[in-house]
Amino acid sequence: MLGSFQQGAAFRLVLGRVRTVALQWSRHFRIDESLFDAWLGIERHRKVSDLPLSLRQRQDLEAAACQPPERSPLDRALEVIIKRIGDHALNSDSLATALRMSRRSLYYLFERQNLTPNEAIRNIRLECCKEALGDPRQQSRKVIDIALNFGFSSAAAFSRQFKQRYGFQPLAFREVMLRQAAPRS
């Protein structure tokens, strides 16, 4: 006859194998571990307030549970780009400075996306301009005002890059989008 410690260890081993098989077969398969815990005599604390901790330790645990998960460096980079999209001086150097990382680290971060930081900035700017040009509420705005608003410094560069990316001149794109949005009679 096995002792209770050995029985518990054997049972935990079997339970581990059951979990592995369950995860392989279905992500919706759940095991009610409270029955196993009761059988093994394990007492689990369900709430932080049930734990035998000092007030400071309890506050630290509760604060840690409420903090949002850590964002990836790429997510932080994209967030900075979007926040500063209208800044004409936004480039790979200023982005690296804002993220407190080296220029090489920044390039490596975007290299995994098959982009350079400057290409990512340009693509986001172009996409924002495309959305604004296609928005019927912004039809009274000049194309150059939209381009300048999203960080382009010249009309010629904006027009050339927009046509290269979308196959239309910005004004022609706007006309097509507004025609499609207009109600048909």
Side-chain angles (χ1 to χ4, degrees), residues 106-107 109-120 123:
L106 181 68
Y107 270 83
L109 182 68
F110 281 94
E111 188 178 283
R112 292 185 233 154
Q113 308 301 317
N114 293 322
L115 289 171
T116 65
N118 288 329
E119 288 172 338
N123 291 345

Side-chain angles (χ1 to χ4, degrees), residues 25-184:
W25 285 99
S26 171
R27 51 182 234 195
H28 302 292
F29 185 81
R30 300 180 120 215
I31 298 172
D32 185 4
E33 293 184 29
S34 60
L35 297 174
F36 297 123
D37 293 344
W39 184 74
L40 292 171
I42 298 172
E43 181 181 334
R44 294 196 192 257
H45 299 282
R46 298 295 178 204
K47 296 186 232 168
V48 172
S49 59
D50 293 341
L51 295 172
L53 301 172
S54 70
L55 179 61
R56 174 77 177 145
Q57 290 171 324
R58 189 172 291 133
Q59 289 171 342
D60 289 344
L61 282 173
E62 288 171 352
C66 294
Q67 292 178 356
E70 184 68 25
R71 294 182 325 255
S72 74
L74 183 63
D75 288 340
R76 289 185 323 192
L78 294 174
E79 184 179 304
V80 169
I81 292 170
I82 291 168
K83 281 183 181 176
R84 294 182 51 196
I85 198 71
D87 182 2
H88 299 288
L90 179 62
N91 59 24
S92 58
D93 291 330
S94 62
L95 183 58
T97 302
L99 294 169
R100 295 185 179 109
M101 64 174 45
S102 71
R103 193 167 188 259
R104 177 65 202 134
S105 296
L106 181 68
Y107 270 83
Y108 180 71
L109 182 68
F110 281 94
E111 188 178 283
R112 292 185 233 154
Q113 308 301 317
N114 293 322
L115 289 171
T116 65
N118 288 329
E119 288 172 338
I121 293 167
R122 183 189 65 232
N123 291 345
I124 292 172
R125 283 181 172 154
L126 286 169
E127 194 62 32
C128 289
C129 288
K130 177 184 158 209
E131 292 293 320
L133 289 170
D135 186 357
R137 297 171 296 187
Q138 296 190 40
Q139 69 182 4
S140 63
R141 288 182 69 195
K142 293 180 182 178
V143 172
I144 186 61
D145 291 339
I146 291 172
L148 292 173
N149 188 53
F150 289 110
F152 286 97
S153 55
S154 81
F158 167 67
S159 184
R160 184 180 63 253
Q161 291 175 14
F162 192 91
K163 182 173 182 177
Q164 182 181 8
R165 171 95 183 210
Y166 300 110
F168 288 96
Q169 290 292 337
L171 193 54
F173 176 81
R174 172 183 255 175
E175 290 170 1
V176 168
M177 294 304 292
L178 292 177
R179 253 188 272 128
Q180 288 178 354
R184 306 202 184 216

